[in-house]
Amino acid sequence: GEDETGKKRYFGDEARENAEYCTKLWCPVQRDEPPDWEAFEQLLEYCFDGMQHPPEKSYVVVVISSFSVNKGTFLDLRRILLDNFEFIGGTFIESSVAVGLAQNSDCITVEMEDYFTRITRIAGNGVDYTGQIPIGSQTVSEHLRRLLAARGVSLLGVEDYDTVERIKLEMCYCALNFEEEIERSSFLHPEEPDFLPELGKLLTKERILAPEVLFNPSMMGFDLDLGIDTFIEKVGTGFGHPVLLIGKGFSISKVCDRIRKLFNDDLEIKLDAEGIGGYNGAVVYINACLRSAGANGVGGWSMSWPLSRIRNRGW
């Protein structure tokens, strides 16, 4: 589509295909709410277009973080979904509760978003602890950009986003013992991909320095006593129930192994990189609501909020 100045807007795969022509990369949710609700609505139209369940014949459930929404944002989102898109009806569910429903047991959820990680302990069908620290997946990406810049490699443009993400996920890995491994002479990834071979020769310590910020936030100037591992240890010690790691940042090689090592395999650690648990819990919740209202077998949408990109899935 076009904005009021005639500039073209691209969404989703179309935006990636035209990245070299884009002058600005726009995230639909910034600081927990859309900076431009009209553009955000256009994004939703793109998401819903041509899908199996059109909004006017569906229900919607939004998996939402209580840490990341204010009343005004909540009301605006409700208005867009129910009034503008004319969903039959809808509801909201707290993200950690949704994951707990999917697990059907007591658990700890650790949700890594772009710029924060939230941990929630679910016990007895309720939340008995929740907290967050201001480091996330994009914290690693920003650290990686700084490290690359120090080596003379500039990857700061809109078109470089995917490249940085691939380097992070395919070339970087977490050191199981950082103090020992940082002194090594070889830093090749155990399963080196055939991707940017020249850059692969250039990268050395940067491969383990980038993800180390998750465990040592002071590397990025954060005044924090807790990394992700010690945050989980603080909440999970003695709990005795599974820990579910949610978010793509946890798919960086060996990050989960580093966390397992902390607990000597005493805790069951599960990885849910794509956040399927929240979606599954939302489906359990909305179907229970619909059954209680006498409505079965209808289509619907689950949307998680907030994210730097909107995830929605039909059922």
Side-chain angles (χ1 to χ4, degrees):
E2 294 186 356
D3 62 17
E4 63 277 1
T5 65
K7 292 182 179 179
K8 287 187 176 181
R9 281 177 171 157
Y10 298 104
F11 297 98
D13 292 338
E14 195 177 44
R16 293 184 184 278
E17 292 168 2
N18 292 277
E20 61 182 299
Y21 306 111
C22 294
T23 57
K24 181 180 180 182
L25 177 65
W26 177 78
C27 294
V29 180
Q30 298 175 17
R31 298 189 181 276
D32 308 329
E33 66 176 55
D36 183 339
W37 281 99
E38 182 179 349
F40 178 72
E41 191 169 342
Q42 289 180 4
L43 176 65
L44 292 184
E45 289 176 1
Y46 168 84
C47 293
F48 295 142
D49 183 46
M51 301 303 286
Q52 181 180 359
H53 304 296
E56 62 272 15
K57 296 182 180 180
S58 306
Y59 291 82
V60 63
V61 56
V62 180
V63 183
I64 200 162
S65 168
S66 59
F67 267 84
S68 308
V69 65
N70 57 52
K71 185 177 181 181
T73 300
F74 178 91
L75 293 176
D76 283 333
L77 185 59
R78 184 182 185 279
R79 172 186 55 79
I80 286 177
L81 293 174
L82 297 185
D83 296 344
N84 296 18
F85 285 98
E86 299 181 341
F87 277 95
I88 299 171
T91 187
F92 294 76
I93 182 172
E94 218 281 333
S95 56
S96 56
V97 175
V99 172
L101 283 173
Q103 287 289 302
N104 195 30
S105 67
D106 293 351
C107 63
I108 291 174
T109 66
V110 187
E111 303 168 82
M112 189 190 299
E113 297 288 359
D114 283 349
Y115 293 103
F116 72 88
T117 297
R118 186 169 76 126
I119 188 167
T120 304
R121 190 170 57 210
I122 302 170
N125 297 319
V127 174
D128 72 351
Y129 174 85
T130 188
Q132 71 176 22
I133 53 177
I135 53 174
S137 180
Q138 286 303 305
T139 312
V140 178
S141 299
E142 290 188 5
H143 193 209
L144 177 58
R145 288 189 186 94
R146 293 185 185 185
L147 293 168
L148 290 172
R151 298 297 297 269
V153 179
S154 177
L155 293 173
L156 303 176
V158 172
E159 68 279 5
D160 297 322
Y161 176 86
D162 284 341
T163 301
V164 172
E165 292 303 294
R166 285 198 66 184
I167 294 171
K168 177 176 72 176
L169 295 173
E170 298 181 29
M171 293 177 129
C172 294
Y173 62 97
C174 179
L176 298 184
N177 189 320
F178 181 76
E179 288 75 15
E180 289 183 6
E181 294 187 38
I182 197 65
E183 300 300 327
R184 291 168 48 182
S185 58
S186 175
F187 293 89
L188 285 179
H189 189 287
E191 299 178 4
E192 185 68 22
D194 184 20
F195 168 63
L196 294 178
E198 292 305 314
L199 182 59
K201 296 175 184 177
L202 179 66
L203 291 178
T204 55
K205 295 182 179 182
E206 294 82 7
R207 297 170 184 268
I208 63 173
L209 282 170
E212 186 63 22
V213 71
L214 294 173
F215 304 93
N216 187 359
S218 62
M219 286 183 167
M220 281 283 285
F222 291 100
D223 185 18
L224 289 176
D225 295 329
L226 295 175
I228 284 180
D229 53 348
T230 47
F231 193 21
I232 296 173
E233 182 181 33
K234 174 185 175 182
V235 178
T237 299
F239 187 60
H241 293 285
V243 175
L244 185 61
L245 306 177
I246 305 168
K248 208 163 188 178
F250 286 116
S251 62
I252 297 172
S253 183
K254 296 190 178 183
V255 167
C256 292
D257 294 337
R258 172 86 166 257
I259 295 171
R260 289 190 179 99
K261 181 183 176 184
L262 175 69
F263 292 100
N264 297 315
D265 295 322
D266 291 336
L267 274 182
E268 181 182 2
I269 308 290
K270 299 180 180 180
L271 175 63
D272 181 7
E274 297 299 327
I276 301 298
Y279 163 71
N280 290 338
V283 173
V284 170
Y285 178 65
I286 193 65
N287 281 335
C289 292
L290 293 173
R291 282 195 300 271
S292 67
N296 286 304
V298 298
W301 286 85
S302 168
M303 176 188 295
S304 56
W305 173 283
L307 289 175
S308 60
R309 59 194 181 280
I310 295 300
R311 292 180 190 158
N312 53 68
R313 303 179 175 92
W315 76 86

